[in-house]
Amino acid sequence: MVYLAVKALVSGVIVMIVSEVARRSPALGALIVSLPLVSVLAMIWLHWETHDTGRIAEHAQATFWYVLPSLPMFLVLPALLRSGLAFYPALAICLAMTALLYIGMAAGLARFGITL
């Protein structure tokens, strides 16, 4: 139980630091968020818990494929906000778009024998 609390605390501290930095400097906050900190932490936790390098390799590869359909959101959201759309509707549109892109990515990769 202590281990789960430590994992949650470390992960939460990272999110808190990013949000505080982003309030002061959006570009620096974006730089920190663009680092694969969550993925690296997940791989560390996975290694600590299982020592299963095959599972870690699968996680890393799946993360690569799932990052790709999420990238358009970071172009569409600013465009929607700058066009005058309110934040929550713009975010909802981007989340729906990203979900559709995830589904499309999984289906497209399945055609090439890659399962996520």
Side-chain angles (χ1 to χ4, degrees):
M1 192 59 147
V2 171
Y3 176 64
L4 290 177
V6 169
K7 281 175 38 176
L9 181 64
V10 169
S11 302
V13 165
I14 289 173
V15 171
M16 181 213 47
I17 289 170
V18 169
S19 68
E20 288 301 310
V21 168
R23 272 191 319 128
R24 292 168 180 79
S25 171
L28 184 56
L31 173 64
I32 294 169
V33 142
S34 72
L35 299 172
L37 297 173
V38 173
S39 295
V40 169
L41 274 177
M43 287 185 270
I44 290 169
W45 300 138
L46 192 56
H47 180 265
W48 180 266
E49 293 167 2
T50 69
H51 295 282
D52 185 344
T53 55
R55 183 174 286 182
I56 295 167
E58 287 178 31
H59 168 79
Q61 185 174 354
T63 299
F64 170 79
W65 290 114
Y66 281 130
V67 163
L68 296 177
S70 70
L71 293 177
M73 179 183 81
F74 298 102
L75 296 174
V76 174
L77 182 62
L80 292 174
L81 294 173
R82 289 184 181 123
S83 74
L85 194 59
F87 173 72
Y88 288 112
L91 184 60
I93 289 168
C94 287
L95 292 175
M97 174 194 70
T98 302
L100 292 172
L101 289 171
Y102 281 148
I103 292 165
M105 173 68 78
L109 289 175
R111 296 179 72 189
F112 295 101
I114 300 172
T115 57
L116 301 176

